[in-house]
Amino acid sequence: MSNDKKPDFSNVQGGVQSTEQVKPDFSNVESKVASTEDITGGEGGGGSTGQQTYTVEKGDNLSTIAKQFYGRQDWKRIYDANRDQLDNPDRIKPGQVLKIPQDDAQD
C-alpha cells in the first residue's frame, strides 16, 4: 500500500501574536511624599516628648533608619513605637511617617 502522493504544505503560513498588551514604562517616574505633621521634640517649647518622625524613602529599612538616628541598628525600638501601623518590621513602605522615639541610651 504505497501512496506516492504526499500532502502539500507549501503554502501554509504560521505566526504567533501575543494577546498581552504592551505594559507602560514607569522606570523614570519619581515621587516624593512630605509630611505636613509638625515635628515635635528638639530644643525649646514646653511639653516636648523628644520624639521625632521620619518619612520612609525607597530602599529604607528599620535598621538603616535606626543607625541614622541612634548610631546603631536598634530597629526594634522604632518598630515597637510604630506597631499601630506596622505588622511586620520587614514591610515598611515609602511615604510612611514613622515615629522615632528618643534614644534612651544616649549619655
Side-chain angles (χ1 to χ4, degrees), residues 12-69:
V12 174
Q13 296 178 2
V16 177
Q17 285 185 329
S18 175
T19 57
E20 183 178 2
Q21 295 178 353
V22 176
K23 295 184 178 176
D25 178 13
F26 294 111
S27 63
N28 63 344
V29 174
E30 294 182 26
S31 68
K32 182 160 176 85
V33 178
S35 174
T36 57
E37 181 178 350
D38 290 336
I39 296 177
T40 58
E43 298 179 26
S48 172
T49 62
Q51 189 165 359
Q52 297 178 323
T53 60
Y54 177 78
T55 303
V56 177
E57 296 178 1
K58 184 178 179 181
D60 282 342
N61 62 53
L62 292 181
S63 291
T64 58
I65 295 168
K67 186 154 178 100
Q68 177 181 337
F69 283 93

Side-chain angles (χ1 to χ4, degrees), residues 62 79 82-88 91-92 96 98:
L62 292 181
Y79 176 64
N82 291 280
R83 290 215 179 214
D84 57 326
Q85 61 176 326
L86 298 178
D87 295 327
N88 183 329
R91 299 216 174 149
I92 62 173
Q96 280 183 308
L98 300 178

Side-chain angles (χ1 to χ4, degrees), residues 68-86:
Q68 177 181 337
F69 283 93
Y70 306 139
R72 63 188 183 286
Q73 296 178 344
D74 191 5
W75 63 268
K76 190 160 180 4
R77 176 183 301 276
I78 297 172
Y79 176 64
D80 288 340
N82 291 280
R83 290 215 179 214
D84 57 326
Q85 61 176 326
L86 298 178

